[in-house]
């Protein structure tokens, strides 16, 4: 049985890099990534699991890091927005203007990236189902929707080659 | 940030988990079983719950998998709701689970966590009761099987230190299934009313969440009319910031009428 009392070591991978840290059990994954590892891309929005600004990938699946203890991620692989480089979804968000203040953007991009990895041919129902997990107070979602569709087309072109 | 420290345990067997809980309680420590954490982490952060220790059940392998056992699909209660959907247990489970919380939360939210949490909706209960699932509860004498409909009365009637271990869902699906969920605003919201119904032609089960202060269900003869169903539930309608009792009663009538339009046993 794993027992974690007080400040104890933990190991996990973040964006491909093995991280070893001494943490208390009460540290959320969001706080760990931002304050221990230094990846501030995932944001504290509501810290209630509603807004999705804290979305990261845990072993490829999007999760809300504000609702998870860092200790739970021990031995797992985390991908933050900082771990996504030159992806179609990132280019599409720039091209389509899928952001204004940018606070929700990392959460949207990480979730959209995971969606298109899992379902490159995602239909409208699937896209809405996944992306309803993220809130934007600025854009009205049209740019975000266009970015998602644009990335999907770009990925289809890339994979068709 | 959760403003107080606590001990974290991750047992590898159900026996270890139960022994850990009883040991912590004997030491006067306030301990909680932990599954997906989607409710508990927020409650701990807001200090609505203060814990000395949490026991993470996700280290128990059989609680994190779905398997077949004779006439049942066995779902470990630490299986996430998305994994339960993806496994393809039944269309009814897919339709119902897919409406709970949102897709990202459902990657962490577990079947057991939804049933055992403090929120009054417990929407995972709806298809499980309608499909006549059997709950496997782990306690002092190991696992025991109890029909979920017998275990639930306003909340799960678990004894001290017991935990929900597995859910056994019959392979045989009912002939009639129906599900309808209504929210006040967006789809990602708690329900004003979520109705799930199944029937085998002799008896019909109707389960409701969001309508009353807790999930409610009734099993009645298949010939029960819409008015008779209304009589069973309408007195339980709650009034809150999402909707009034009278609005909920109106919605109940609308949903039951919708169900009866496709119900094959009316008047038989």
């Amino acid at each position: 049985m794993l027992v974690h009392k007080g400040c104890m070591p933990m190991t996990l991978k973040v964006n491909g890099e093995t991280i070893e840290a001494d943490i208390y059990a009460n540290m959320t994954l969001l706080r760990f990534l931002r304050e221990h590892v230094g990846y501030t891309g995932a944001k504290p929005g509501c810290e209630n699991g509603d807004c999705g600004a804290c979305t990261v990938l845990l072993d490829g699946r999007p999760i809300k890091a504000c609702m998870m203890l860092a200790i739970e991620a021990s031995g797992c692989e985390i991908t933050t927005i900082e771990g996504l480089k030159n992806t179609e979804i990132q280019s599409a968000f720039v091209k389509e203007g899928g952001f204004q203040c940018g606070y929700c953007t990392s959460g949207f991009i990480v979730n959209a990236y995971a969606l298109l990895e899992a379902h490159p041919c995602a239909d409208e129902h699937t896209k809405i189902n996944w992306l309803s997990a993220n809130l934007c107070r600025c854009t009205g979602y049209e740019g975000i929707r266009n970015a998602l569709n644009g990335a999907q087309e770009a990925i289809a072109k890339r994979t068709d080659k | 940030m959760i403003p107080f420290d606590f001990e974290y345990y991750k047992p590898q067997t159900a026996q270890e988990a139960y022994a850990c809980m009883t040991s912590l309680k004997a030491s006067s420590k306030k301990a909680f079983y932990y599954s997906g954490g989607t409710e508990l982490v927020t409650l701990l952060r807001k200090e609505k719950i203060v814990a000395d220790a949490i026991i993470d059940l996700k280290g128990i392998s059989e609680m994190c998998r779905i398997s077949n056992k004779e006439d049942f699909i066995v779902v470990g209660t630490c299986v996430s709701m998305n994994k339960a959907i993806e496994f393809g247990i039944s269309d009814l489970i897919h339709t119902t689970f897919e409406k709970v919380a949102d897709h990202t939360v459902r990657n962490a939210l577990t079947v057991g966590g939804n049933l055992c949490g403090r929120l009054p909706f417990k929407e995972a209960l709806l298809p499980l009761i309608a499909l006549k699932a059997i709950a496997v509860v782990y306690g002092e004498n190991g696992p025991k099987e109890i029909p979920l409909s017998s275990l639930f009365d306003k909340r799960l009637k678990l004894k001290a230190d017991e935990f929900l271990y597995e859910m056994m869902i019959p392979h045989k699906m009912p002939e009639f299934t129906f599900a309808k969920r209504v929210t006040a605003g967006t789809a990602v919201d708690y329900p004003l009313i979520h109705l799930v119904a199944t029937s085998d032609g002799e008896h019909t089960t109707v389960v409701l969440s969001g309508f009353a202060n807790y999930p409610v269900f009734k099993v009645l003869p298949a010939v029960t009319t819409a008015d008779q169903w209304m009589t069973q539930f309408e007195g339980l309608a709650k009034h809150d910031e999402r909707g009034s009792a009278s609005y909920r009663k109106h919605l109940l009538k609308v949903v039951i009428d919708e169900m009866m339009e496709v119900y094959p046993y009316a008047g038989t």
Side-chain angles (χ1 to χ4, degrees):
Chain A
M1 175 164 68
L2 169 67
V3 179
H4 194 106
K5 290 183 186 180
C7 195
M8 289 182 66
M10 184 192 74
T11 304
L12 74 165
K13 270 199 169 170
V14 182
N15 297 332
E17 182 187 350
T18 300
I19 304 289
E20 292 172 351
D22 292 335
I23 62 162
Y24 288 91
N26 67 350
M27 175 154 279
T28 62
L29 180 61
L30 177 65
R31 294 288 170 182
F32 174 76
L33 291 170
R34 291 177 59 85
E35 294 166 17
H36 272 251
V37 188
Y39 286 132
T40 55
K43 305 279 188 260
C46 66
E47 291 199 89
N48 197 46
D50 296 318
C51 73
C54 63
T55 304
V56 298
L57 302 184
L58 175 78
D59 294 337
R61 280 188 181 254
I63 56 104
K64 294 185 176 179
C66 71
M67 304 170 89
M68 187 172 175
L69 299 174
I71 186 67
E72 289 182 82
S74 179
C76 296
E77 182 130 16
I78 304 293
T79 305
T80 70
I81 184 70
E82 291 91 343
L84 300 183
K85 304 212 186 287
N86 302 316
T87 63
E88 284 89 353
I89 189 68
Q90 288 165 296
S91 301
F93 261 76
V94 172
K95 185 180 174 192
E96 299 294 339
F99 53 90
Q100 288 183 25
C101 80
Y103 201 79
C104 71
T105 307
S106 61
F108 263 107
I109 289 178
V110 167
N111 194 14
Y113 173 81
L115 161 62
L116 294 175
E117 284 287 292
H119 303 285
C121 300
D123 58 15
E124 193 66 14
H125 171 81
T126 304
K127 290 177 198 173
I128 291 173
N129 185 25
W130 279 60
L131 272 289
S132 293
N134 297 75
L135 299 175
C136 174
R137 300 300 288 151
C138 296
T139 65
Y141 299 103
E142 187 175 344
I144 294 168
R145 179 193 292 264
N146 293 342
L148 180 60
N149 292 338
Q152 189 176 40
E153 286 171 18
I155 289 169
K157 277 186 191 158
R158 169 170 58 81
T159 52
D160 276 348
K161 283 180 183 170
Chain B
M1 191 68 179
I2 298 168
F4 55 87
D5 194 21
F6 48 83
E7 298 170 357
Y8 173 88
Y9 298 85
K10 194 171 184 181
Q12 292 181 303
T13 68
Q15 194 174 17
E16 225 175 18
Y18 186 82
C20 183
M21 178 61 82
T22 53
S23 170
L24 287 166
K25 290 266 184 85
S27 308
S28 301
K29 287 186 178 173
K30 196 164 184 190
F32 292 87
Y33 289 119
Y34 184 94
S35 187
T38 55
E39 185 180 277
L40 207 53
V41 169
T42 303
L43 291 176
L44 291 170
R45 189 178 61 77
K46 293 180 176 178
E47 293 184 270
K48 301 262 191 223
I49 286 178
V50 178
D52 297 310
I54 64 169
I55 302 169
D56 189 347
L57 298 174
K58 296 193 297 295
I60 302 168
S61 59
E62 65 269 26
M63 290 183 72
C64 299
R65 67 168 179 246
I66 302 175
S67 57
N68 283 297
K69 179 183 170 186
E70 296 164 5
D71 297 329
F72 295 90
I73 301 167
V74 181
V75 181
T77 52
C78 288
V79 169
S80 75
M81 292 189 78
N82 269 351
K83 285 195 177 166
I85 291 167
E86 290 159 15
F87 188 86
I89 299 167
S90 79
D91 288 343
L92 186 64
I93 283 185
H94 186 135
T95 308
T96 321
F97 281 18
E98 195 180 56
K99 295 186 169 64
V100 177
D102 63 53
H103 181 270
T104 303
V105 170
R106 288 197 304 274
N107 278 331
L109 175 61
T110 62
V111 174
N114 186 260
L115 293 173
C116 298
R118 291 188 170 205
L119 287 170
F121 300 97
K122 304 183 194 300
E123 291 175 85
L125 191 79
L126 274 61
L128 293 174
I129 285 202
L131 294 174
K132 298 182 173 40
I134 295 172
V136 183
V137 175
Y138 198 95
E140 189 178 6
N141 299 313
K144 65 181 176 192
E145 296 174 9
I146 307 169
L148 184 59
S149 56
S150 300
L151 187 63
F152 187 86
D153 179 13
K154 297 180 185 171
R155 61 174 181 81
L156 283 175
K157 301 288 188 189
L158 295 173
K159 293 188 183 134
D161 305 343
E162 284 183 339
F163 58 90
L164 204 54
Y165 181 56
E166 292 172 330
M167 297 299 310
M168 296 169 56
I169 304 166
H171 275 295
K172 190 176 188 312
M173 289 289 140
E175 292 171 22
F176 172 78
T177 64
F178 177 84
K180 180 80 177 184
R181 188 177 194 264
V182 182
T183 57
T186 60
V188 179
D189 193 4
Y190 297 117
L192 278 166
I193 183 169
H194 191 172
L195 183 148
V196 169
T198 57
S199 185
D200 58 9
E202 287 187 29
H203 293 94
T204 297
T205 302
V206 171
V207 198
L208 289 176
S209 172
F211 181 78
N213 289 318
Y214 37 81
V216 290
F217 65 95
K218 291 284 181 188
V219 183
L220 293 175
V223 295
T224 302
T225 65
D227 286 345
Q228 288 168 331
W229 281 114
M230 279 298 298
T231 307
Q232 292 294 321
F233 294 116
E234 59 187 354
L236 299 170
K238 69 176 175 180
H239 179 106
D240 64 15
E241 68 279 1
R242 280 191 174 75
S244 65
S246 58
Y247 184 49
R248 281 186 165 86
K249 282 188 242 181
H250 163 74
L251 286 177
L252 178 64
K253 184 166 189 333
V254 168
V255 172
I256 286 179
D257 284 347
E258 199 174 310
M259 178 182 84
M260 297 308 274
E261 280 177 14
V262 294
Y263 187 66
Y265 311 114
T268 54

